[in-house]
Amino acid sequence: RQRQMCIRDSITGDRCVVSVPKVWYLTGGSTKEGTITELMLFNPFADNATVTVTTYSEFDLDLIQELQNYDVAGRSWASIDLSPYVDFRDNLVFTVESISGLVIPSLKRIDDRGEAAWPGTAPAETWDFPIVTAGDLERFISVMSAGDDENIVDVDIITPSGSVRNARQVTVDASIPELIPLSDLAAPPYGVRLRATAPIAASVIATAPLDDPTGGEGSLETTTTTDPGTDTGTNGTIVKGLAGTVGTSSASSEWIVPVATLLGSETSLFVMNTGTETAIVEWEALGESEYVAGGTVEVAADTIAEVPVEVGVGVYGVSVESDRPVSVGWSIAGEEGVALVAGIALR
């Protein structure tokens, strides 16, 4: 399932789902002033499904009676606006547990700067995020412990020139999610690896600063600044908007990346190598068009590489193969906003 929408001058994309756990975790929601979070429940099967939704925030566990034994009709979507149930929460996390049948949940977050969506995941002890922001967006990682005890989470920063292990360490309580700031750790582009003492769920949120004088609304302001120390996007552009993505819990040597483009936008692959040896990575555009693009890039140990992709008409994805396990994501940024999307590991 791959979605991309342009709504209110914004771009939204989320990753395809390739497995269905019994309990899903969705991190990174918020109902603070001016922000809406919707929980989207997709039932692709003919039979009805019943789920229980549990909500966590900085105020601990919130039990919502209306979301216990919640029915989702067969072959349909259910959209739940969380504001009436848990209003004025800065950091919201949800679990969706199947009682009968199966659903595929995703989280949609909307504010006056844009819109972002990302799918639920199962928890894991390690998470790789090959890309965590675009341009000057402020970036955070929302983390939830899946266990009953405190969880120690270490944040490693992976840049094009090397890595910083244990750049930040956070203790995550059993039922209170944490919002970890990333903006002060490095200038983009960079990736993040999370290492935890027990399984966690996590997602990246990148948003225009609250004091942004342009107001955001998913737009992209052009600048002539090319100073490499300035926090800008590709080709001297400053990106505005709202984006979010999940990571990958294990590296792989084969990836499918369903990329897309819009007029006035730039699309890039990001490859992260957390191994001990250089990875030789080959990529090739997929689609119905005669336009064929591809290439080879070397990604040194403990670094990331950005690969700009010129997506032509009729090109719907990119195949990525590596001689070493790597993690892959992609971004699209332009006049209508920004989206960050994790790739799909084939093995």
Side-chain angles (χ1 to χ4, degrees):
R1 181 175 57 86
Q2 171 77 12
R3 298 188 300 158
Q4 178 168 308
M5 299 174 286
C6 296
I7 301 176
R8 293 187 300 278
D9 297 321
S10 67
I11 300 173
T12 300
D14 71 36
R15 186 185 66 175
C16 300
V17 172
V18 295
S19 62
V20 182
K22 181 176 175 59
V23 179
W24 296 87
Y25 283 75
L26 299 103
T27 58
S30 178
T31 53
K32 62 185 179 181
E33 187 175 358
T35 303
I36 296 171
T37 292
E38 295 180 1
L39 186 61
M40 313 290 290
L41 303 176
F42 175 48
N43 180 1
F45 304 103
D47 295 333
N48 292 353
T50 302
V51 301
T52 286
V53 178
T54 304
T55 305
Y56 304 85
S57 73
E58 64 269 25
F59 300 118
D60 211 321
L61 171 68
D62 286 299
L63 287 176
I64 303 171
Q65 187 61 39
E66 292 88 343
L67 301 183
Q68 310 298 301
N69 297 312
Y70 188 89
D71 291 328
V72 184
R75 294 175 180 161
S76 72
W77 282 91
S79 177
I80 305 171
D81 180 359
L82 276 303
S83 296
Y85 303 112
V86 280
D87 207 1
F88 300 110
R89 304 296 200 273
D90 284 339
N91 189 20
L92 274 175
V93 172
F94 311 95
T95 60
V96 179
E97 181 176 3
S98 295
I99 306 302
S100 63
L102 294 172
V103 299
I104 299 172
S106 61
L107 184 150
K108 183 163 66 174
R109 178 167 167 166
I110 307 166
D111 63 24
D112 59 359
R113 290 161 291 192
E115 178 175 319
W118 52 93
T121 66
E125 292 184 3
T126 301
W127 287 101
D128 288 347
F129 296 87
I131 180 65
V132 297
T133 191
D136 65 347
L137 299 185
E138 290 186 331
R139 47 269 186 202
F140 306 85
I141 288 186
S142 175
V143 179
M144 179 71 189
S145 176
D148 296 327
D149 300 316
E150 285 187 345
N151 203 331
I152 307 300
V153 180
D154 290 311
V155 180
D156 300 335
I157 300 298
I158 316 295
T159 75
S161 58
S163 65
V164 180
R165 289 180 64 86
N166 303 320
R168 180 153 287 154
Q169 186 178 86
V170 177
T171 299
V172 182
D173 291 335
S175 58
I176 301 178
E178 286 287 332
L179 195 61
I180 304 173
L182 300 176
S183 296
D184 61 330
L185 298 181
Y190 63 90
V192 167
R193 164 167 276 198
L194 298 183
R195 296 176 291 109
T197 54
I200 58 173
S203 60
V204 161
I205 306 100
T207 183
L210 289 175
D211 58 356
D212 172 24
T214 67
E217 291 222 5
S219 65
L220 180 143
E221 178 184 341
T222 301
T223 176
T224 57
T225 300
T226 57
D227 180 355
T230 301
D231 188 4
T232 59
T234 305
N235 297 330
T237 54
I238 298 179
V239 178
K240 309 295 180 184
L242 174 67
T245 185
V246 295
T248 179
S249 58
S250 60
S252 175
S253 58
E254 294 185 24
W255 293 84
I256 289 290
V257 185
V259 301
T261 193
L262 290 170
L263 190 63
S265 298
E266 298 170 358
T267 299
S268 290
L269 294 176
F270 290 87
V271 182
M272 187 165 79
N273 177 13
T274 56
T276 58
E277 299 183 57
T278 297
I280 308 299
V281 181
E282 296 181 351
W283 65 277
E284 181 180 7
L286 303 173
E288 302 172 354
S289 172
E290 295 181 359
Y291 175 87
V292 177
T296 301
V297 60
E298 293 187 10
V299 187
D302 264 350
T303 69
I304 67 161
E306 178 180 0
V307 183
V309 178
E310 294 184 9
V311 181
V313 175
V315 175
Y316 307 115
V318 173
S319 170
V320 179
E321 295 186 4
S322 173
D323 65 344
R324 308 279 179 189
V326 295
S327 300
V328 178
W330 70 279
S331 71
I332 178 172
E335 297 174 355
E336 296 187 61
V338 59
L340 309 174
V341 184
I344 304 161
L346 296 184
R347 65 178 182 181

PDB file of all heavy atoms in Angstrom, residues 27-28 109 116-118 128-134 138-143 179-180 182 192 194 202-207 242-247 340:
ATOM      1  N   THR A  27       3.532   5.711  16.814  1.00  0.00           N
ATOM      2  CA  THR A  27       4.108   6.779  17.616  1.00  0.00           C
ATOM      3  C   THR A  27       4.094   8.097  16.839  1.00  0.00           C
ATOM      4  O   THR A  27       3.980   8.112  15.615  1.00  0.00           O
ATOM      5  CB  THR A  27       5.551   6.438  18.007  1.00  0.00           C
ATOM      6  OG1 THR A  27       6.322   6.221  16.811  1.00  0.00           O
ATOM      7  CG2 THR A  27       5.610   5.177  18.854  1.00  0.00           C
ATOM      8  N   GLY A  28       4.235   9.216  17.568  1.00  0.00           N
ATOM      9  CA  GLY A  28       4.397  10.507  16.919  1.00  0.00           C
ATOM     10  C   GLY A  28       3.141  11.331  16.745  1.00  0.00           C
ATOM     11  O   GLY A  28       3.159  12.347  16.055  1.00  0.00           O
ATOM     12  N   ARG A 109      -1.141  13.020  10.790  1.00  0.00           N
ATOM     13  CA  ARG A 109      -0.976  14.213  11.623  1.00  0.00           C
ATOM     14  C   ARG A 109      -1.065  15.448  10.739  1.00  0.00           C
ATOM     15  O   ARG A 109      -0.406  15.521   9.699  1.00  0.00           O
ATOM     16  CB  ARG A 109       0.366  14.152  12.349  1.00  0.00           C
ATOM     17  CG  ARG A 109       0.687  15.350  13.218  1.00  0.00           C
ATOM     18  CD  ARG A 109       1.859  15.062  14.125  1.00  0.00           C
ATOM     19  NE  ARG A 109       2.381  16.281  14.736  1.00  0.00           N
ATOM     20  CZ  ARG A 109       3.222  16.302  15.763  1.00  0.00           C
ATOM     21  NH1 ARG A 109       3.634  15.160  16.302  1.00  0.00           N
ATOM     22  NH2 ARG A 109       3.669  17.442  16.253  1.00  0.00           N
ATOM     23  N   ALA A 116       1.190  14.810   7.378  1.00  0.00           N
ATOM     24  CA  ALA A 116       2.097  13.665   7.269  1.00  0.00           C
ATOM     25  C   ALA A 116       1.368  12.410   7.711  1.00  0.00           C
ATOM     26  O   ALA A 116       0.437  12.462   8.520  1.00  0.00           O
ATOM     27  CB  ALA A 116       3.350  13.880   8.120  1.00  0.00           C
ATOM     28  N   ALA A 117       1.787  11.269   7.166  1.00  0.00           N
ATOM     29  CA  ALA A 117       1.189   9.991   7.530  1.00  0.00           C
ATOM     30  C   ALA A 117       2.271   8.920   7.540  1.00  0.00           C
ATOM     31  O   ALA A 117       3.221   8.981   6.756  1.00  0.00           O
ATOM     32  CB  ALA A 117       0.079   9.609   6.544  1.00  0.00           C
ATOM     33  N   TRP A 118       2.125   7.965   8.448  1.00  0.00           N
ATOM     34  CA  TRP A 118       3.058   6.838   8.486  1.00  0.00           C
ATOM     35  C   TRP A 118       2.349   5.641   9.094  1.00  0.00           C
ATOM     36  O   TRP A 118       1.372   5.774   9.822  1.00  0.00           O
ATOM     37  CB  TRP A 118       4.327   7.194   9.268  1.00  0.00           C
ATOM     38  CG  TRP A 118       4.133   7.759  10.635  1.00  0.00           C
ATOM     39  CD1 TRP A 118       4.102   7.093  11.812  1.00  0.00           C
ATOM     40  CD2 TRP A 118       3.969   9.154  10.966  1.00  0.00           C
ATOM     41  NE1 TRP A 118       3.924   7.965  12.862  1.00  0.00           N
ATOM     42  CE2 TRP A 118       3.856   9.234  12.370  1.00  0.00           C
ATOM     43  CE3 TRP A 118       3.927  10.328  10.215  1.00  0.00           C
ATOM     44  CZ2 TRP A 118       3.676  10.450  13.040  1.00  0.00           C
ATOM     45  CZ3 TRP A 118       3.751  11.529  10.889  1.00  0.00           C
ATOM     46  CH2 TRP A 118       3.639  11.588  12.265  1.00  0.00           C
ATOM     47  N   ASP A 128      16.648   1.796  12.471  1.00  0.00           N
ATOM     48  CA  ASP A 128      17.457   2.631  11.587  1.00  0.00           C
ATOM     49  C   ASP A 128      16.560   3.611  10.842  1.00  0.00           C
ATOM     50  O   ASP A 128      15.542   3.216  10.265  1.00  0.00           O
ATOM     51  CB  ASP A 128      18.224   1.782  10.569  1.00  0.00           C
ATOM     52  CG  ASP A 128      19.363   1.006  11.197  1.00  0.00           C
ATOM     53  OD1 ASP A 128      19.725   1.296  12.353  1.00  0.00           O
ATOM     54  OD2 ASP A 128      19.904   0.104  10.530  1.00  0.00           O
ATOM     55  N   PHE A 129      16.974   4.883  10.831  1.00  0.00           N
ATOM     56  CA  PHE A 129      16.286   5.937  10.078  1.00  0.00           C
ATOM     57  C   PHE A 129      17.308   6.554   9.119  1.00  0.00           C
ATOM     58  O   PHE A 129      18.103   7.407   9.541  1.00  0.00           O
ATOM     59  CB  PHE A 129      15.725   7.007  11.009  1.00  0.00           C
ATOM     60  CG  PHE A 129      14.648   6.507  11.939  1.00  0.00           C
ATOM     61  CD1 PHE A 129      14.980   5.939  13.160  1.00  0.00           C
ATOM     62  CD2 PHE A 129      13.317   6.613  11.596  1.00  0.00           C
ATOM     63  CE1 PHE A 129      13.995   5.481  14.023  1.00  0.00           C
ATOM     64  CE2 PHE A 129      12.309   6.160  12.450  1.00  0.00           C
ATOM     65  CZ  PHE A 129      12.659   5.585  13.667  1.00  0.00           C
ATOM     66  N   PRO A 130      17.329   6.138   7.853  1.00  0.00           N
ATOM     67  CA  PRO A 130      18.327   6.674   6.919  1.00  0.00           C
ATOM     68  C   PRO A 130      18.196   8.171   6.671  1.00  0.00           C
ATOM     69  O   PRO A 130      19.155   8.813   6.263  1.00  0.00           O
ATOM     70  CB  PRO A 130      18.080   5.878   5.631  1.00  0.00           C
ATOM     71  CG  PRO A 130      17.344   4.659   6.067  1.00  0.00           C
ATOM     72  CD  PRO A 130      16.523   5.080   7.243  1.00  0.00           C
ATOM     73  N   ILE A 131      17.005   8.725   6.893  1.00  0.00           N
ATOM     74  CA  ILE A 131      16.798  10.156   6.723  1.00  0.00           C
ATOM     75  C   ILE A 131      15.810  10.606   7.793  1.00  0.00           C
ATOM     76  O   ILE A 131      14.789   9.951   8.026  1.00  0.00           O
ATOM     77  CB  ILE A 131      16.299  10.505   5.298  1.00  0.00           C
ATOM     78  CG1 ILE A 131      16.085  12.015   5.135  1.00  0.00           C
ATOM     79  CG2 ILE A 131      15.036   9.726   4.966  1.00  0.00           C
ATOM     80  CD1 ILE A 131      17.351  12.820   5.247  1.00  0.00           C
ATOM     81  N   VAL A 132      16.111  11.736   8.452  1.00  0.00           N
ATOM     82  CA  VAL A 132      15.246  12.185   9.545  1.00  0.00           C
ATOM     83  C   VAL A 132      14.684  13.582   9.315  1.00  0.00           C
ATOM     84  O   VAL A 132      13.847  14.044  10.100  1.00  0.00           O
ATOM     85  CB  VAL A 132      15.984  12.148  10.905  1.00  0.00           C
ATOM     86  CG1 VAL A 132      16.374  10.730  11.262  1.00  0.00           C
ATOM     87  CG2 VAL A 132      17.202  13.071  10.894  1.00  0.00           C
ATOM     88  N   THR A 133      15.130  14.274   8.261  1.00  0.00           N
ATOM     89  CA  THR A 133      14.606  15.609   8.004  1.00  0.00           C
ATOM     90  C   THR A 133      14.960  16.027   6.592  1.00  0.00           C
ATOM     91  O   THR A 133      15.692  15.340   5.880  1.00  0.00           O
ATOM     92  CB  THR A 133      15.166  16.636   9.015  1.00  0.00           C
ATOM     93  OG1 THR A 133      14.438  17.853   8.891  1.00  0.00           O
ATOM     94  CG2 THR A 133      16.638  16.899   8.777  1.00  0.00           C
ATOM     95  N   ALA A 134      14.423  17.160   6.209  1.00  0.00           N
ATOM     96  CA  ALA A 134      14.797  17.807   4.953  1.00  0.00           C
ATOM     97  C   ALA A 134      14.909  19.289   5.230  1.00  0.00           C
ATOM     98  O   ALA A 134      14.074  19.868   5.936  1.00  0.00           O
ATOM     99  CB  ALA A 134      13.763  17.537   3.860  1.00  0.00           C
ATOM    100  N   GLU A 138      12.664  21.209  11.991  1.00  0.00           N
ATOM    101  CA  GLU A 138      13.051  20.686  13.299  1.00  0.00           C
ATOM    102  C   GLU A 138      12.694  19.204  13.360  1.00  0.00           C
ATOM    103  O   GLU A 138      11.630  18.799  12.898  1.00  0.00           O
ATOM    104  CB  GLU A 138      12.343  21.451  14.413  1.00  0.00           C
ATOM    105  CG  GLU A 138      12.839  22.868  14.578  1.00  0.00           C
ATOM    106  CD  GLU A 138      12.235  23.553  15.777  1.00  0.00           C
ATOM    107  OE1 GLU A 138      11.088  23.190  16.135  1.00  0.00           O
ATOM    108  OE2 GLU A 138      12.888  24.429  16.333  1.00  0.00           O
ATOM    109  N   ARG A 139      13.560  18.402  13.928  1.00  0.00           N
ATOM    110  CA  ARG A 139      13.337  16.954  13.916  1.00  0.00           C
ATOM    111  C   ARG A 139      13.361  16.374  15.325  1.00  0.00           C
ATOM    112  O   ARG A 139      14.124  16.791  16.184  1.00  0.00           O
ATOM    113  CB  ARG A 139      14.349  16.238  13.038  1.00  0.00           C
ATOM    114  CG  ARG A 139      15.793  16.640  13.220  1.00  0.00           C
ATOM    115  CD  ARG A 139      16.191  17.757  12.300  1.00  0.00           C
ATOM    116  NE  ARG A 139      17.606  18.076  12.341  1.00  0.00           N
ATOM    117  CZ  ARG A 139      18.099  19.242  11.956  1.00  0.00           C
ATOM    118  NH1 ARG A 139      17.313  20.191  11.515  1.00  0.00           N
ATOM    119  NH2 ARG A 139      19.390  19.479  12.007  1.00  0.00           N
ATOM    120  N   PHE A 140      12.474  15.384  15.507  1.00  0.00           N
ATOM    121  CA  PHE A 140      12.316  14.687  16.766  1.00  0.00           C
ATOM    122  C   PHE A 140      12.088  13.213  16.466  1.00  0.00           C
ATOM    123  O   PHE A 140      11.684  12.847  15.367  1.00  0.00           O
ATOM    124  CB  PHE A 140      11.107  15.214  17.552  1.00  0.00           C
ATOM    125  CG  PHE A 140      11.093  16.694  17.775  1.00  0.00           C
ATOM    126  CD1 PHE A 140      10.570  17.562  16.813  1.00  0.00           C
ATOM    127  CD2 PHE A 140      11.586  17.232  18.948  1.00  0.00           C
ATOM    128  CE1 PHE A 140      10.550  18.925  17.014  1.00  0.00           C
ATOM    129  CE2 PHE A 140      11.563  18.601  19.167  1.00  0.00           C
ATOM    130  CZ  PHE A 140      11.049  19.447  18.196  1.00  0.00           C
ATOM    131  N   ILE A 141      12.321  12.383  17.465  1.00  0.00           N
ATOM    132  CA  ILE A 141      11.913  10.985  17.387  1.00  0.00           C
ATOM    133  C   ILE A 141      10.990  10.695  18.567  1.00  0.00           C
ATOM    134  O   ILE A 141      11.344  10.959  19.724  1.00  0.00           O
ATOM    135  CB  ILE A 141      13.117  10.022  17.392  1.00  0.00           C
ATOM    136  CG1 ILE A 141      13.859  10.102  16.056  1.00  0.00           C
ATOM    137  CG2 ILE A 141      12.670   8.592  17.648  1.00  0.00           C
ATOM    138  CD1 ILE A 141      14.982   9.099  15.904  1.00  0.00           C
ATOM    139  N   SER A 142       9.813  10.180  18.262  1.00  0.00           N
ATOM    140  CA  SER A 142       8.867   9.753  19.281  1.00  0.00           C
ATOM    141  C   SER A 142       9.116   8.281  19.568  1.00  0.00           C
ATOM    142  O   SER A 142       9.116   7.458  18.652  1.00  0.00           O
ATOM    143  CB  SER A 142       7.433   9.974  18.799  1.00  0.00           C
ATOM    144  OG  SER A 142       6.500   9.462  19.731  1.00  0.00           O
ATOM    145  N   VAL A 143       9.319   7.946  20.847  1.00  0.00           N
ATOM    146  CA  VAL A 143       9.702   6.592  21.245  1.00  0.00           C
ATOM    147  C   VAL A 143       8.761   6.087  22.323  1.00  0.00           C
ATOM    148  O   VAL A 143       8.432   6.809  23.272  1.00  0.00           O
ATOM    149  CB  VAL A 143      11.154   6.544  21.762  1.00  0.00           C
ATOM    150  CG1 VAL A 143      11.525   5.132  22.197  1.00  0.00           C
ATOM    151  CG2 VAL A 143      12.123   7.037  20.704  1.00  0.00           C
ATOM    152  N   LEU A 179       9.720  12.151  23.614  1.00  0.00           N
ATOM    153  CA  LEU A 179       9.961  12.876  22.382  1.00  0.00           C
ATOM    154  C   LEU A 179      11.405  13.368  22.428  1.00  0.00           C
ATOM    155  O   LEU A 179      11.732  14.270  23.207  1.00  0.00           O
ATOM    156  CB  LEU A 179       8.981  14.044  22.247  1.00  0.00           C
ATOM    157  CG  LEU A 179       8.853  14.684  20.870  1.00  0.00           C
ATOM    158  CD1 LEU A 179       8.354  13.677  19.837  1.00  0.00           C
ATOM    159  CD2 LEU A 179       7.911  15.881  20.930  1.00  0.00           C
ATOM    160  N   ILE A 180      12.271  12.759  21.615  1.00  0.00           N
ATOM    161  CA  ILE A 180      13.703  13.018  21.668  1.00  0.00           C
ATOM    162  C   ILE A 180      14.072  14.068  20.623  1.00  0.00           C
ATOM    163  O   ILE A 180      13.886  13.838  19.423  1.00  0.00           O
ATOM    164  CB  ILE A 180      14.504  11.727  21.407  1.00  0.00           C
ATOM    165  CG1 ILE A 180      14.086  10.634  22.396  1.00  0.00           C
ATOM    166  CG2 ILE A 180      15.996  11.992  21.507  1.00  0.00           C
ATOM    167  CD1 ILE A 180      14.714   9.285  22.097  1.00  0.00           C
ATOM    168  N   LEU A 182      16.363  16.125  18.027  1.00  0.00           N
ATOM    169  CA  LEU A 182      17.518  15.761  17.209  1.00  0.00           C
ATOM    170  C   LEU A 182      18.204  16.961  16.568  1.00  0.00           C
ATOM    171  O   LEU A 182      19.323  16.837  16.063  1.00  0.00           O
ATOM    172  CB  LEU A 182      17.085  14.803  16.089  1.00  0.00           C
ATOM    173  CG  LEU A 182      16.454  13.471  16.486  1.00  0.00           C
ATOM    174  CD1 LEU A 182      16.001  12.720  15.235  1.00  0.00           C
ATOM    175  CD2 LEU A 182      17.427  12.617  17.291  1.00  0.00           C
ATOM    176  N   VAL A 192      19.800   8.216  11.708  1.00  0.00           N
ATOM    177  CA  VAL A 192      19.810   7.901  13.137  1.00  0.00           C
ATOM    178  C   VAL A 192      19.628   6.410  13.329  1.00  0.00           C
ATOM    179  O   VAL A 192      18.829   5.768  12.633  1.00  0.00           O
ATOM    180  CB  VAL A 192      18.684   8.662  13.872  1.00  0.00           C
ATOM    181  CG1 VAL A 192      18.467   8.120  15.271  1.00  0.00           C
ATOM    182  CG2 VAL A 192      19.001  10.151  13.929  1.00  0.00           C
ATOM    183  N   LEU A 194      18.667   3.895  16.552  1.00  0.00           N
ATOM    184  CA  LEU A 194      18.252   3.755  17.941  1.00  0.00           C
ATOM    185  C   LEU A 194      18.601   2.362  18.421  1.00  0.00           C
ATOM    186  O   LEU A 194      18.296   1.371  17.753  1.00  0.00           O
ATOM    187  CB  LEU A 194      16.747   3.989  18.094  1.00  0.00           C
ATOM    188  CG  LEU A 194      16.188   5.353  17.721  1.00  0.00           C
ATOM    189  CD1 LEU A 194      14.694   5.393  18.020  1.00  0.00           C
ATOM    190  CD2 LEU A 194      16.905   6.475  18.450  1.00  0.00           C
ATOM    191  N   ALA A 202       9.117   3.462  17.319  1.00  0.00           N
ATOM    192  CA  ALA A 202       9.630   4.818  17.121  1.00  0.00           C
ATOM    193  C   ALA A 202       9.247   5.346  15.752  1.00  0.00           C
ATOM    194  O   ALA A 202       9.053   4.578  14.806  1.00  0.00           O
ATOM    195  CB  ALA A 202      11.160   4.832  17.276  1.00  0.00           C
ATOM    196  N   SER A 203       9.159   6.665  15.664  1.00  0.00           N
ATOM    197  CA  SER A 203       8.959   7.330  14.379  1.00  0.00           C
ATOM    198  C   SER A 203       9.570   8.720  14.447  1.00  0.00           C
ATOM    199  O   SER A 203       9.695   9.315  15.517  1.00  0.00           O
ATOM    200  CB  SER A 203       7.470   7.424  14.014  1.00  0.00           C
ATOM    201  OG  SER A 203       6.768   8.155  15.003  1.00  0.00           O
ATOM    202  N   VAL A 204       9.961   9.216  13.280  1.00  0.00           N
ATOM    203  CA  VAL A 204      10.542  10.551  13.151  1.00  0.00           C
ATOM    204  C   VAL A 204       9.436  11.543  12.813  1.00  0.00           C
ATOM    205  O   VAL A 204       8.543  11.244  12.008  1.00  0.00           O
ATOM    206  CB  VAL A 204      11.622  10.567  12.051  1.00  0.00           C
ATOM    207  CG1 VAL A 204      11.908  11.986  11.571  1.00  0.00           C
ATOM    208  CG2 VAL A 204      12.895   9.925  12.553  1.00  0.00           C
ATOM    209  N   ILE A 205       9.489  12.721  13.410  1.00  0.00           N
ATOM    210  CA  ILE A 205       8.621  13.837  13.040  1.00  0.00           C
ATOM    211  C   ILE A 205       9.511  15.024  12.720  1.00  0.00           C
ATOM    212  O   ILE A 205      10.407  15.366  13.501  1.00  0.00           O
ATOM    213  CB  ILE A 205       7.646  14.228  14.167  1.00  0.00           C
ATOM    214  CG1 ILE A 205       6.830  13.024  14.630  1.00  0.00           C
ATOM    215  CG2 ILE A 205       6.715  15.333  13.708  1.00  0.00           C
ATOM    216  CD1 ILE A 205       7.341  12.388  15.880  1.00  0.00           C
ATOM    217  N   ALA A 206       9.311  15.634  11.563  1.00  0.00           N
ATOM    218  CA  ALA A 206      10.061  16.819  11.164  1.00  0.00           C
ATOM    219  C   ALA A 206       9.063  17.910  10.813  1.00  0.00           C
ATOM    220  O   ALA A 206       8.144  17.689  10.019  1.00  0.00           O
ATOM    221  CB  ALA A 206      10.962  16.512   9.969  1.00  0.00           C
ATOM    222  N   THR A 207       9.233  19.088  11.406  1.00  0.00           N
ATOM    223  CA  THR A 207       8.241  20.135  11.235  1.00  0.00           C
ATOM    224  C   THR A 207       8.892  21.496  11.180  1.00  0.00           C
ATOM    225  O   THR A 207       9.976  21.705  11.737  1.00  0.00           O
ATOM    226  CB  THR A 207       7.209  20.095  12.387  1.00  0.00           C
ATOM    227  OG1 THR A 207       6.204  21.073  12.168  1.00  0.00           O
ATOM    228  CG2 THR A 207       7.865  20.333  13.734  1.00  0.00           C
ATOM    229  N   LEU A 242       5.621  19.648   7.031  1.00  0.00           N
ATOM    230  CA  LEU A 242       5.497  18.639   8.070  1.00  0.00           C
ATOM    231  C   LEU A 242       5.740  17.280   7.441  1.00  0.00           C
ATOM    232  O   LEU A 242       5.215  16.979   6.368  1.00  0.00           O
ATOM    233  CB  LEU A 242       4.091  18.685   8.687  1.00  0.00           C
ATOM    234  CG  LEU A 242       3.729  17.596   9.694  1.00  0.00           C
ATOM    235  CD1 LEU A 242       4.564  17.728  10.963  1.00  0.00           C
ATOM    236  CD2 LEU A 242       2.237  17.681  10.038  1.00  0.00           C
ATOM    237  N   ALA A 243       6.558  16.452   8.080  1.00  0.00           N
ATOM    238  CA  ALA A 243       6.858  15.123   7.552  1.00  0.00           C
ATOM    239  C   ALA A 243       7.037  14.153   8.704  1.00  0.00           C
ATOM    240  O   ALA A 243       7.317  14.550   9.839  1.00  0.00           O
ATOM    241  CB  ALA A 243       8.122  15.146   6.684  1.00  0.00           C
ATOM    242  N   GLY A 244       6.861  12.871   8.433  1.00  0.00           N
ATOM    243  CA  GLY A 244       7.078  11.838   9.432  1.00  0.00           C
ATOM    244  C   GLY A 244       7.300  10.505   8.761  1.00  0.00           C
ATOM    245  O   GLY A 244       6.853  10.276   7.629  1.00  0.00           O
ATOM    246  N   THR A 245       8.015   9.631   9.433  1.00  0.00           N
ATOM    247  CA  THR A 245       8.258   8.298   8.879  1.00  0.00           C
ATOM    248  C   THR A 245       8.640   7.324   9.979  1.00  0.00           C
ATOM    249  O   THR A 245       9.118   7.721  11.043  1.00  0.00           O
ATOM    250  CB  THR A 245       9.381   8.334   7.815  1.00  0.00           C
ATOM    251  OG1 THR A 245       9.519   7.038   7.217  1.00  0.00           O
ATOM    252  CG2 THR A 245      10.717   8.723   8.422  1.00  0.00           C
ATOM    253  N   VAL A 246       8.410   6.063   9.715  1.00  0.00           N
ATOM    254  CA  VAL A 246       8.945   5.002  10.557  1.00  0.00           C
ATOM    255  C   VAL A 246      10.318   4.621  10.023  1.00  0.00           C
ATOM    256  O   VAL A 246      10.728   5.057   8.946  1.00  0.00           O
ATOM    257  CB  VAL A 246       8.016   3.776  10.581  1.00  0.00           C
ATOM    258  CG1 VAL A 246       6.685   4.121  11.227  1.00  0.00           C
ATOM    259  CG2 VAL A 246       7.796   3.228   9.174  1.00  0.00           C
ATOM    260  N   GLY A 247      11.018   3.800  10.776  1.00  0.00           N
ATOM    261  CA  GLY A 247      12.324   3.323  10.337  1.00  0.00           C
ATOM    262  C   GLY A 247      12.257   1.866   9.917  1.00  0.00           C
ATOM    263  O   GLY A 247      11.185   1.329   9.624  1.00  0.00           O
ATOM    264  N   LEU A 340       8.912  12.149   3.990  1.00  0.00           N
ATOM    265  CA  LEU A 340       9.973  11.191   4.282  1.00  0.00           C
ATOM    266  C   LEU A 340       9.333   9.811   4.345  1.00  0.00           C
ATOM    267  O   LEU A 340       8.335   9.623   5.032  1.00  0.00           O
ATOM    268  CB  LEU A 340      10.653  11.513   5.618  1.00  0.00           C
ATOM    269  CG  LEU A 340      11.145  12.945   5.830  1.00  0.00           C
ATOM    270  CD1 LEU A 340      11.655  13.111   7.249  1.00  0.00           C
ATOM    271  CD2 LEU A 340      12.227  13.300   4.823  1.00  0.00           C
TER     272      LEU A 340
END
